[in-house]
Amino acid sequence: MVFPFSGLSDYEIKFKPEHEIFRKFVREFMEKEVEPRVGEIEENDQVPPDLLKRMGDLGFQGIAVPAEYGGQGGDQVSVAIFSEEAGRIYPAIMTLVGVNGLFTTPVLLYGTEDQKKKYLPPVARGEKHSAHATTESVAGSDVAGIQTKAEKRGDKWIINGRKAFISGGDIADYFVVLARTSPAPSRKERWKGLTFFIVEKGTMGFSVAKKMKKSGLKGSPIVELQLDDVEVPDGNRLGPEGEGFKVAMETFDHGRIGVAAQALGIAQAAFEKSLNYALQRNTFERPLIQYQMIDGYLSDMLMKLISARQLVYWAANLADQGRKEYLVAASLAKAYATEAAEWAALKSISVHGGVGVVTESHIERMLRDVEITKVYEGSNEIQRLVIVRQLLKQTLGYDSPGM
Amino acid sequence: MDVLFYSEDDDILAELATPAAALAGVSGGKSCAVVFGEDKRGVASEVATLGVGQVYLVRADGLLRQYPEAVSEALTELVARHASAVVLIGSTKNGKEVAGRLAVKVDAAAATECSSVSPTEQGILIERLAYSGRVSTRVSLKGKFVIACVKARSYHRPAESAAASVMEVGFSPSEIKVKVIETREKAASAVDLTKAEKIVSVGRGMKKKDDLATIQGLADSLGAAVGCSRPLSADLGWLPEEAHIGLTGVQVKPKLYVAVGISGQLQHLAGVKDAGTIVAINTDKGAPIFANADYGIVGDLYQVVPELTRQLNALKHKQ
Amino acid sequence: MNIVVLVKHVHDENQLKVDRATGKISFEGVPGKISDFDRNAVEAALSLRGSVGGKVTTITVGTDEAVKALREVLAMGADKAVLIKDQAFENLDVRAMAEIISKTLAKLGPFDLLLCAEGSVDAYTSLLAPVLAEKLKVSLITYAESLQAKDGMVKAERALERRMEVVEAKMPAVVSVTGEINDPRIPTLLQIMGAMKKEIAFFTIQELGLDANRMLPNGYAILEYSGKSKERKKVVFEGAPAETVPKLIEAMAKEGLVS
């Protein structure tokens, strides 16, 4: 027994030949078609529509959506591979795909057949864009604390509220929106009484209120959404009434590995660039790589990078095996990889010296891009809670409701 | 061993006379230039004065020169007149095709893109690059006949000496399988970069086609020709194909090569291995070009190039 | 139309291990890849199949590692793949290689078009296409930048050093293509997974009726590989252009490159 898992084989990481082939092609797309346009995207804070379309055509928006719903039918390892390769060149690309995942996941898990058939194929094929609207300015980690309300009138729901920090909300055609449909039965049971709805762009009363400027992850805009008496039919309710919290948690669970892999990609890039620079750059007539402090940084970067890599793909393997333990692994991976990437990005600035903060070097950008990865998709503080709680649940059967 | 040498390009043909003479001299054989086409009588007379043992003038319509099928067939007939021979061919696209065909027709070992040829006991030793120019190799070719395609500007044409005889040989090809139905000569103004002494080359660091004017300005101040890395000709079409310097493009040997906004990928470097002095201007300190250059400036080409041009021009005016 | 595409799995030139001091090259542990321009040839084949219909078969000679290259080609859309396994294939000269490929083609049946890249990025001899065409006694078009096929004829544009040519030939034909001919497609994950199920046929040289020992270099031997290149000075100037430019000019003047 290798606690908290039962044996050594629980730690196995396996890949198939198609994974390596997929990685190669994603890398080719990122290096040939995205990298040359990074400057342009940073400048405009927008990924050009033709690039978005290309991503859709290549099937990137539906990697884990089953083929019967227009997706690629890929596994979590494939999602991780895409996310890592995107993170390595330009993390926002991963987020643009990840947000569609935050829509397709709840629809796949809790949607009716009609909802799946209507909404999944266009999103998986990149023909339509989608977004996930749970967060509000008053409630991020505290999902149960959201104040958007939905009231039933006949067979329709009227939704009122304001959502914030919604990635991809600027271009999305479809949204999943979380609203409170009934009051919490008690303080301990605040998580009860929430419901998801599918809301389409253009619905009266539903608008993008404001685009928020941020320091990093340019090309992946975040917006505020305003809902004023937005009317949706009951057919757009996603999942059982009052159980939206569970839907939200499962959705975020599924997205965790992708974010961990995104950060892994950033760490990979930081390491590659630092190593390359240390080999090229001379100081006091010797290459940087001959200096012990630099070697120290590089070694530490590599330790963290490979550890993160193992965690990410281990979590993906467990998820693909359908094992519940993947939840612990995914949280470990997310918390660790994002922090490892931040450290690597920081140190790569040290290695590069002045060049590290020059915009054109794209070194400082890694740090700006990585910060949000520690915060979104379940902040690292929350991940640390999840790790212990899931661990207790898996190993001791200890159930802690709510979070 | 005798040596036969051929190129559809007159300059390369003249250059090949040098290694041909050297090889023939060592092995006690004869060096024979092959000129293809009735329209090249003048060239035949000229080559005859370049220290060759003999010139074969293949009497055929000059147009047939465009057909590697015909050229290789003619060469086969000529090669068959010799007990053993080294065949040197200019390493142009058609030259390499001719070499491949000839290799089968006379069952000879062949090598292309050679930068040098030297004699051995049973044949020749050639030098050529491999792995997109990352590696240099020496290859030994042995046999009754051996074929080496030699790159342009690998040798200088020899000095003039007494004229050798020009033997006219009749030739008519058997079946020609590929028809040339249209030919478009490239602009006469198109510079042959293989002959340029100085080249300013531009890559992806340049943002817009119009910025070429800046590059041209620098080229003018240096008296240099303009070249580019593959993306600018193949992907963007901002410069013609003849300007593309690299493994699959032109290989150049200028005294000075200035790489502006070029990262230094192997396949580009393969085109400038033998440049005298390489200067790099790039905003990325980690770009591979700096490790492959003699001098470099880390900076924004949009600031460095105009400044460099300005100062070079100021120097010129001082004279 | 029956289209055959030749591909080669080569050592990645960007990952060769070169000893900086001696220039000695090591191929051990160097990852392989499909030679860059081979995918252009595959794309050209798939494009033609798209317009006139038919089947695309890809062939490679190499070790087991070459299966990776074949899977990529299958993922792009080729119908079938063939690997002629040989441990020492890198020592084969082009005539031996052509012999192996001809025997393979004889086994596979008649082809209309045989496509390959203008050269492989490892050796870049550009000899395989002409040698094969000569052996098979079929038409040959090298350095094709565009390709069309219709009514038993193939038409292509060739960019030569000083001119562009448009040529036409009867099929069967061997055509080598340049990197400029197209942008090779990137397969989706679905296509990649589908490729894992497609057929790869394996042959050894013996199964083709050839004697491996007699296929050894026929007067062609690579004596030495060296990673040593002309030592460059690697002097780098950093700072504002007002400072770096004069330093560069001074250096160039010392070399007699500017007056």
Side-chain angles (χ1 to χ4, degrees), chain A residues 17-18 21-22 24-25 28-29 33 54 57-59 63 67 71-74 78 281 355, chain C residues 20 33-34 39 68 71-72 75-76 184-193 196 234 238:
Chain A
E18 50 262 48
I21 296 175
F22 181 55
K24 188 212 132 139
F25 283 117
E28 183 178 307
F29 165 73
E33 301 186 43
R54 180 84 173 121
D57 291 340
L58 287 171
I63 294 174
Q72 302 291 305
S78 303
R281 160 87 173 164
V355 168
Chain C
R20 280 181 166 199
K33 61 171 182 175
I34 184 173
R39 280 185 53 216
K68 294 182 185 160
R71 288 283 176 216
E72 280 184 37
M76 282 174 74
R185 67 194 62 183
I186 293 181
T188 63
L189 179 59
L190 199 56
Q191 288 167 326
I192 295 170
M193 295 193 295
M196 304 310 297
K234 304 185 210 189
E238 288 179 76

Short mmCIF file of all heavy atoms in Angstrom, two decimals, chain A residues 17-18 21-22 24-25 28-29 33 54 57-59 63 67 71-74 78 281 355, chain C residues 20 33-34 39 68 71-72 75-76 184-193 196 234 238:
data_model
loop_
_atom_site.label_atom_id
_atom_site.label_comp_id
_atom_site.label_asym_id
_atom_site.label_seq_id
_atom_site.Cartn_x
_atom_site.Cartn_y
_atom_site.Cartn_z
N PRO A 17 0.34 5.98 -28.52
CA PRO A 17 1.05 6.65 -29.63
C PRO A 17 0.29 7.85 -30.18
O PRO A 17 0.90 8.86 -30.55
CB PRO A 17 1.13 5.56 -30.70
CG PRO A 17 0.96 4.27 -29.99
CD PRO A 17 0.14 4.55 -28.76
N GLU A 18 -1.06 7.77 -30.18
CA GLU A 18 -1.81 8.91 -30.72
C GLU A 18 -1.62 10.17 -29.90
O GLU A 18 -1.76 11.28 -30.40
CB GLU A 18 -3.30 8.60 -30.88
CG GLU A 18 -3.97 8.01 -29.67
CD GLU A 18 -4.07 6.50 -29.77
OE1 GLU A 18 -3.06 5.86 -30.10
OE2 GLU A 18 -5.16 5.97 -29.49
N ILE A 21 1.46 11.91 -31.23
CA ILE A 21 1.18 12.47 -32.55
C ILE A 21 0.34 13.73 -32.41
O ILE A 21 0.58 14.75 -33.04
CB ILE A 21 0.47 11.44 -33.46
CG1 ILE A 21 1.40 10.25 -33.72
CG2 ILE A 21 0.06 12.07 -34.78
CD1 ILE A 21 0.75 9.11 -34.50
N PHE A 22 -0.67 13.67 -31.52
CA PHE A 22 -1.53 14.83 -31.28
C PHE A 22 -0.69 15.99 -30.75
O PHE A 22 -0.80 17.12 -31.21
CB PHE A 22 -2.64 14.45 -30.30
CG PHE A 22 -3.61 15.57 -30.00
CD1 PHE A 22 -4.28 16.23 -31.02
CD2 PHE A 22 -3.86 15.94 -28.69
CE1 PHE A 22 -5.17 17.26 -30.74
CE2 PHE A 22 -4.77 16.97 -28.40
CZ PHE A 22 -5.42 17.62 -29.42
N LYS A 24 2.40 16.63 -31.20
CA LYS A 24 3.23 17.18 -32.27
C LYS A 24 2.42 18.15 -33.14
O LYS A 24 2.89 19.23 -33.49
CB LYS A 24 3.76 16.02 -33.12
CG LYS A 24 4.80 16.46 -34.15
CD LYS A 24 4.73 15.61 -35.40
CE LYS A 24 4.73 16.48 -36.63
NZ LYS A 24 5.55 16.00 -37.72
N PHE A 25 1.21 17.77 -33.47
CA PHE A 25 0.42 18.64 -34.33
C PHE A 25 -0.10 19.88 -33.61
O PHE A 25 -0.18 20.96 -34.20
CB PHE A 25 -0.73 17.86 -34.98
CG PHE A 25 -0.26 17.00 -36.13
CD1 PHE A 25 -0.38 15.62 -36.08
CD2 PHE A 25 0.32 17.58 -37.24
CE1 PHE A 25 0.07 14.83 -37.13
CE2 PHE A 25 0.77 16.80 -38.30
CZ PHE A 25 0.65 15.41 -38.24
N GLU A 28 2.74 22.15 -33.57
CA GLU A 28 2.96 22.76 -34.89
C GLU A 28 1.99 23.92 -35.10
O GLU A 28 2.37 25.00 -35.54
CB GLU A 28 2.74 21.71 -35.98
CG GLU A 28 3.02 22.23 -37.38
CD GLU A 28 2.84 21.16 -38.45
OE1 GLU A 28 3.44 20.08 -38.29
OE2 GLU A 28 2.10 21.42 -39.40
N PHE A 29 0.73 23.71 -34.74
CA PHE A 29 -0.27 24.77 -34.88
C PHE A 29 0.13 25.98 -34.04
O PHE A 29 0.14 27.12 -34.49
CB PHE A 29 -1.65 24.27 -34.45
CG PHE A 29 -2.65 25.37 -34.21
CD1 PHE A 29 -3.20 26.05 -35.28
CD2 PHE A 29 -3.01 25.74 -32.92
CE1 PHE A 29 -4.10 27.10 -35.07
CE2 PHE A 29 -3.91 26.77 -32.70
CZ PHE A 29 -4.45 27.46 -33.78
N GLU A 33 1.15 28.93 -36.34
CA GLU A 33 0.00 29.80 -36.60
C GLU A 33 -0.32 30.77 -35.48
O GLU A 33 -0.94 31.79 -35.72
CB GLU A 33 -1.22 28.93 -36.94
CG GLU A 33 -0.97 28.05 -38.16
CD GLU A 33 -2.20 27.28 -38.63
OE1 GLU A 33 -3.28 27.89 -38.66
OE2 GLU A 33 -2.07 26.08 -38.94
N ARG A 54 -10.00 28.78 -37.14
CA ARG A 54 -9.03 27.72 -37.42
C ARG A 54 -8.99 26.73 -36.26
O ARG A 54 -8.94 25.52 -36.46
CB ARG A 54 -7.66 28.38 -37.63
CG ARG A 54 -6.57 27.45 -37.92
CD ARG A 54 -6.48 27.08 -39.41
NE ARG A 54 -5.26 26.29 -39.60
CZ ARG A 54 -5.22 25.06 -40.08
NH1 ARG A 54 -6.34 24.49 -40.47
NH2 ARG A 54 -4.08 24.42 -40.20
N ASP A 57 -11.99 24.61 -36.59
CA ASP A 57 -11.87 23.66 -37.69
C ASP A 57 -10.96 22.49 -37.33
O ASP A 57 -11.15 21.38 -37.80
CB ASP A 57 -11.30 24.35 -38.94
CG ASP A 57 -12.29 25.35 -39.52
OD1 ASP A 57 -13.51 25.23 -39.21
OD2 ASP A 57 -11.87 26.24 -40.27
N LEU A 58 -9.95 22.77 -36.50
CA LEU A 58 -9.02 21.70 -36.12
C LEU A 58 -9.56 20.83 -34.99
O LEU A 58 -8.89 19.93 -34.52
CB LEU A 58 -7.66 22.30 -35.74
CG LEU A 58 -6.85 22.83 -36.93
CD1 LEU A 58 -5.63 23.60 -36.43
CD2 LEU A 58 -6.41 21.69 -37.83
N GLY A 59 -10.77 21.16 -34.54
CA GLY A 59 -11.40 20.31 -33.54
C GLY A 59 -10.99 20.61 -32.11
O GLY A 59 -11.35 19.89 -31.19
N ILE A 63 -12.39 18.77 -27.91
CA ILE A 63 -11.48 17.63 -27.72
C ILE A 63 -12.13 16.52 -26.91
O ILE A 63 -12.04 15.35 -27.25
CB ILE A 63 -10.17 18.08 -27.06
CG1 ILE A 63 -9.41 19.01 -28.01
CG2 ILE A 63 -9.31 16.89 -26.68
CD1 ILE A 63 -8.17 19.63 -27.42
N ALA A 67 -17.74 12.01 -30.03
CA ALA A 67 -17.89 12.18 -31.48
C ALA A 67 -19.34 12.27 -31.91
O ALA A 67 -19.67 12.99 -32.85
CB ALA A 67 -17.20 11.03 -32.20
N GLY A 71 -17.86 16.19 -31.42
CA GLY A 71 -16.54 16.42 -30.83
C GLY A 71 -15.51 15.43 -31.32
O GLY A 71 -15.75 14.66 -32.24
N GLN A 72 -14.35 15.47 -30.70
CA GLN A 72 -13.24 14.60 -31.12
C GLN A 72 -13.21 13.29 -30.35
O GLN A 72 -12.45 12.39 -30.69
CB GLN A 72 -11.90 15.34 -30.89
CG GLN A 72 -11.82 16.65 -31.63
CD GLN A 72 -11.75 16.45 -33.13
OE1 GLN A 72 -10.90 15.74 -33.63
NE2 GLN A 72 -12.67 17.06 -33.85
N GLY A 73 -14.00 13.18 -29.29
CA GLY A 73 -14.01 11.93 -28.53
C GLY A 73 -12.68 11.65 -27.84
O GLY A 73 -12.30 10.50 -27.65
N GLY A 74 -11.98 12.71 -27.45
CA GLY A 74 -10.67 12.53 -26.84
C GLY A 74 -10.76 12.35 -25.33
O GLY A 74 -11.80 12.56 -24.71
N SER A 78 -5.50 13.86 -23.60
CA SER A 78 -5.49 14.71 -24.80
C SER A 78 -5.80 16.15 -24.45
O SER A 78 -5.21 17.08 -24.99
CB SER A 78 -6.48 14.19 -25.83
OG SER A 78 -6.21 12.86 -26.16
N ARG A 281 23.97 33.64 -23.68
CA ARG A 281 24.40 34.94 -23.16
C ARG A 281 25.71 34.83 -22.38
O ARG A 281 25.86 33.97 -21.53
CB ARG A 281 23.30 35.47 -22.24
CG ARG A 281 23.71 36.53 -21.27
CD ARG A 281 23.61 37.90 -21.87
NE ARG A 281 23.85 38.93 -20.84
CZ ARG A 281 24.12 40.18 -21.11
NH1 ARG A 281 24.16 40.57 -22.33
NH2 ARG A 281 24.32 41.04 -20.12
N VAL A 355 16.54 42.09 -20.00
CA VAL A 355 15.75 41.57 -21.13
C VAL A 355 14.43 40.97 -20.62
O VAL A 355 13.42 41.01 -21.30
CB VAL A 355 16.56 40.49 -21.89
CG1 VAL A 355 15.70 39.73 -22.87
CG2 VAL A 355 17.72 41.15 -22.61
N ARG C 20 30.97 20.10 -28.80
CA ARG C 20 31.45 21.42 -29.25
C ARG C 20 32.95 21.45 -29.52
O ARG C 20 33.42 22.14 -30.40
CB ARG C 20 31.12 22.49 -28.21
CG ARG C 20 29.70 22.93 -28.32
CD ARG C 20 29.38 24.00 -27.32
NE ARG C 20 28.11 24.62 -27.68
CZ ARG C 20 27.68 25.79 -27.26
NH1 ARG C 20 28.42 26.49 -26.45
NH2 ARG C 20 26.53 26.27 -27.66
N LYS C 33 11.79 12.37 -36.78
CA LYS C 33 10.60 13.08 -37.25
C LYS C 33 10.41 12.74 -38.71
O LYS C 33 11.33 12.25 -39.37
CB LYS C 33 10.80 14.60 -37.10
CG LYS C 33 11.97 15.14 -37.91
CD LYS C 33 12.00 16.65 -37.93
CE LYS C 33 13.16 17.13 -38.80
NZ LYS C 33 13.19 18.58 -38.97
N ILE C 34 9.25 13.05 -39.21
CA ILE C 34 9.04 12.85 -40.64
C ILE C 34 9.75 14.02 -41.33
O ILE C 34 9.67 15.16 -40.89
CB ILE C 34 7.53 12.79 -40.96
CG1 ILE C 34 7.30 12.50 -42.44
CG2 ILE C 34 6.81 14.05 -40.57
CD1 ILE C 34 5.85 12.26 -42.80
N ARG C 39 5.64 15.96 -45.88
CA ARG C 39 4.23 16.24 -45.65
C ARG C 39 3.64 17.07 -46.78
O ARG C 39 2.45 16.99 -47.05
CB ARG C 39 4.04 16.90 -44.29
CG ARG C 39 4.06 15.85 -43.19
CD ARG C 39 3.75 16.39 -41.83
NE ARG C 39 2.52 17.14 -41.79
CZ ARG C 39 2.34 18.22 -41.05
NH1 ARG C 39 3.32 18.67 -40.30
NH2 ARG C 39 1.19 18.86 -41.06
N LYS C 68 6.09 5.80 -36.70
CA LYS C 68 5.56 7.09 -36.23
C LYS C 68 5.26 8.00 -37.40
O LYS C 68 4.21 8.64 -37.45
CB LYS C 68 6.58 7.77 -35.31
CG LYS C 68 6.81 7.04 -34.03
CD LYS C 68 7.80 7.78 -33.12
CE LYS C 68 8.10 6.95 -31.89
NZ LYS C 68 9.34 7.34 -31.23
N ARG C 71 2.15 6.82 -39.22
CA ARG C 71 0.90 7.13 -38.53
C ARG C 71 0.49 8.57 -38.80
O ARG C 71 -0.69 8.87 -38.94
CB ARG C 71 1.04 6.91 -37.02
CG ARG C 71 1.14 5.45 -36.62
CD ARG C 71 -0.19 4.74 -36.63
NE ARG C 71 -0.05 3.33 -36.32
CZ ARG C 71 -0.76 2.36 -36.86
NH1 ARG C 71 -1.69 2.64 -37.76
NH2 ARG C 71 -0.57 1.11 -36.52
N GLU C 72 1.47 9.46 -38.86
CA GLU C 72 1.14 10.87 -39.14
C GLU C 72 0.55 10.99 -40.53
O GLU C 72 -0.40 11.73 -40.75
CB GLU C 72 2.40 11.73 -39.07
CG GLU C 72 2.81 12.08 -37.67
CD GLU C 72 4.00 13.02 -37.65
OE1 GLU C 72 4.08 13.91 -38.53
OE2 GLU C 72 4.84 12.86 -36.76
N ALA C 75 -2.85 9.71 -40.48
CA ALA C 75 -3.73 10.67 -39.80
C ALA C 75 -4.13 11.80 -40.77
O ALA C 75 -5.26 12.28 -40.75
CB ALA C 75 -3.04 11.25 -38.58
N MET C 76 -3.21 12.19 -41.62
CA MET C 76 -3.53 13.24 -42.58
C MET C 76 -4.57 12.77 -43.56
O MET C 76 -5.32 13.57 -44.12
CB MET C 76 -2.27 13.68 -43.34
CG MET C 76 -1.37 14.60 -42.53
SD MET C 76 0.17 14.94 -43.39
CE MET C 76 -0.37 16.07 -44.65
N PRO C 184 0.72 21.78 -45.67
CA PRO C 184 0.19 20.48 -45.27
C PRO C 184 -0.85 20.61 -44.18
O PRO C 184 -0.69 21.40 -43.24
CB PRO C 184 1.43 19.74 -44.73
CG PRO C 184 2.60 20.51 -45.20
CD PRO C 184 2.15 21.92 -45.38
N ARG C 185 -1.91 19.82 -44.30
CA ARG C 185 -2.99 19.90 -43.32
C ARG C 185 -2.56 19.35 -41.96
O ARG C 185 -1.69 18.49 -41.87
CB ARG C 185 -4.21 19.12 -43.82
CG ARG C 185 -3.99 17.62 -43.92
CD ARG C 185 -5.07 16.95 -44.73
NE ARG C 185 -5.10 17.43 -46.10
CZ ARG C 185 -6.00 17.05 -47.01
NH1 ARG C 185 -6.96 16.21 -46.66
NH2 ARG C 185 -5.97 17.52 -48.24
N ILE C 186 -3.18 19.91 -40.92
CA ILE C 186 -2.97 19.40 -39.57
C ILE C 186 -4.18 18.53 -39.26
O ILE C 186 -5.31 19.01 -39.29
CB ILE C 186 -2.88 20.56 -38.55
CG1 ILE C 186 -1.61 21.38 -38.81
CG2 ILE C 186 -2.89 20.03 -37.13
CD1 ILE C 186 -1.42 22.53 -37.83
N PRO C 187 -3.97 17.25 -38.98
CA PRO C 187 -5.13 16.39 -38.71
C PRO C 187 -5.73 16.67 -37.34
O PRO C 187 -5.05 17.16 -36.43
CB PRO C 187 -4.52 14.97 -38.73
CG PRO C 187 -3.08 15.15 -38.45
CD PRO C 187 -2.70 16.53 -38.91
N THR C 188 -7.02 16.37 -37.19
CA THR C 188 -7.68 16.54 -35.89
C THR C 188 -7.39 15.31 -35.04
O THR C 188 -6.94 14.28 -35.54
CB THR C 188 -9.20 16.67 -36.06
OG1 THR C 188 -9.69 15.43 -36.61
CG2 THR C 188 -9.56 17.81 -36.98
N LEU C 189 -7.71 15.41 -33.76
CA LEU C 189 -7.50 14.29 -32.85
C LEU C 189 -8.29 13.08 -33.34
O LEU C 189 -7.81 11.94 -33.31
CB LEU C 189 -7.93 14.68 -31.43
CG LEU C 189 -7.79 13.59 -30.36
CD1 LEU C 189 -6.36 13.11 -30.24
CD2 LEU C 189 -8.28 14.12 -29.01
N LEU C 190 -9.50 13.34 -33.83
CA LEU C 190 -10.36 12.26 -34.33
C LEU C 190 -9.67 11.52 -35.47
O LEU C 190 -9.66 10.29 -35.53
CB LEU C 190 -11.67 12.87 -34.82
CG LEU C 190 -12.89 11.96 -34.97
CD1 LEU C 190 -13.19 11.25 -33.68
CD2 LEU C 190 -14.09 12.78 -35.41
N GLN C 191 -9.05 12.28 -36.37
CA GLN C 191 -8.35 11.67 -37.49
C GLN C 191 -7.11 10.91 -37.01
O GLN C 191 -6.77 9.86 -37.54
CB GLN C 191 -7.94 12.75 -38.51
CG GLN C 191 -9.14 13.30 -39.27
CD GLN C 191 -8.82 14.56 -40.04
OE1 GLN C 191 -8.00 15.39 -39.62
NE2 GLN C 191 -9.47 14.73 -41.17
N ILE C 192 -6.44 11.47 -36.01
CA ILE C 192 -5.26 10.79 -35.48
C ILE C 192 -5.66 9.46 -34.86
O ILE C 192 -5.02 8.43 -35.08
CB ILE C 192 -4.54 11.67 -34.43
CG1 ILE C 192 -3.98 12.93 -35.11
CG2 ILE C 192 -3.43 10.90 -33.73
CD1 ILE C 192 -3.47 13.97 -34.13
N MET C 193 -6.77 9.47 -34.09
CA MET C 193 -7.20 8.22 -33.46
C MET C 193 -7.63 7.22 -34.52
O MET C 193 -7.36 6.03 -34.42
CB MET C 193 -8.33 8.49 -32.46
CG MET C 193 -7.85 9.36 -31.30
SD MET C 193 -8.96 9.46 -29.86
CE MET C 193 -10.36 10.28 -30.54
N MET C 196 -4.78 5.23 -36.08
CA MET C 196 -4.21 4.11 -35.32
C MET C 196 -4.84 2.80 -35.77
O MET C 196 -4.26 1.74 -35.57
CB MET C 196 -4.43 4.31 -33.82
CG MET C 196 -3.88 5.60 -33.24
SD MET C 196 -2.18 5.96 -33.68
CE MET C 196 -1.36 4.60 -32.92
N LYS C 234 31.01 35.50 -32.55
CA LYS C 234 29.93 35.65 -31.57
C LYS C 234 30.06 36.89 -30.70
O LYS C 234 29.70 36.87 -29.52
CB LYS C 234 29.85 34.42 -30.67
CG LYS C 234 29.68 33.13 -31.45
CD LYS C 234 29.49 31.95 -30.53
CE LYS C 234 30.04 30.71 -31.19
NZ LYS C 234 29.75 29.47 -30.54
N GLU C 238 25.20 45.19 -27.10
CA GLU C 238 23.88 45.50 -26.57
C GLU C 238 23.85 46.93 -26.08
O GLU C 238 24.86 47.45 -25.62
CB GLU C 238 23.54 44.57 -25.39
CG GLU C 238 23.26 43.16 -25.85
CD GLU C 238 22.96 42.24 -24.69
OE1 GLU C 238 21.85 42.31 -24.14
OE2 GLU C 238 23.85 41.46 -24.32
#
